[in-house]
Amino acid sequence: MASEINFVDFVLDQLKNSGKVTTKKMFGEYGIYSDGKLFGLICDNKLFIKPTNSGRTFIGNVVELPPYEGAKPSFLIEDKIENSDWLSELVRLSLNELAAPKPKKKK
């Protein structure tokens, strides 16, 4: 099931305090980026954040599931998705720990 644009817009609004966050549609679902760095996915109207040590500590009781079949597990964010400050802090902590995107090779 593809994610609905209303849910994507809701997540973007919740992340408004995280800096410049964008989404990119991928196979009916969405990747979530900040400064070119992929940090999360929206799949089946659920928010997934890439796992990091600081994110795990911040969340506490972590639920990890793959966002789609064959994917590595990510943090499933459900209970606190409506808490914009909490969610923005999780994203900031995660972004600090995630590696910078690899430069694209010139053709």
Side-chain angles (χ1 to χ4, degrees):
M1 175 180 104
S3 294
E4 298 170 4
I5 192 66
N6 291 343
F7 183 76
V8 175
D9 290 341
F10 168 74
V11 170
L12 285 175
D13 188 54
Q14 293 300 93
L15 295 172
K16 65 184 174 233
N17 296 325
S18 300
K20 186 172 186 217
V21 175
T22 59
T23 59
K24 181 177 178 182
K25 192 167 186 172
M26 302 182 305
F27 308 106
E29 304 298 355
Y30 294 83
I32 312 171
Y33 296 82
S34 179
D35 294 324
K37 195 183 289 189
L38 177 68
F39 69 85
L41 296 169
I42 297 173
C43 298
D44 294 329
N45 288 332
K46 295 178 184 171
L47 174 61
F48 295 88
I49 302 293
K50 281 190 166 189
T52 60
N53 291 330
S54 55
R56 185 178 310 281
T57 301
F58 182 74
I59 294 171
N61 189 15
V62 176
V63 175
E64 282 189 78
L65 294 171
Y68 55 89
E69 190 174 323
K72 294 179 182 178
S74 293
F75 299 150
L76 174 62
I77 309 301
E78 292 180 301
D79 295 343
K80 295 193 176 184
I81 196 167
E82 293 186 11
N83 185 335
S84 180
D85 292 335
W86 183 90
L87 191 57
S88 294
E89 183 63 17
L90 171 61
V91 169
R92 280 191 294 273
L93 289 169
S94 298
L95 285 169
N96 285 336
E97 198 170 321
L98 292 171
K102 295 178 183 176
K104 294 183 180 183
K105 294 180 182 177
K106 294 183 180 180
K107 294 182 181 181

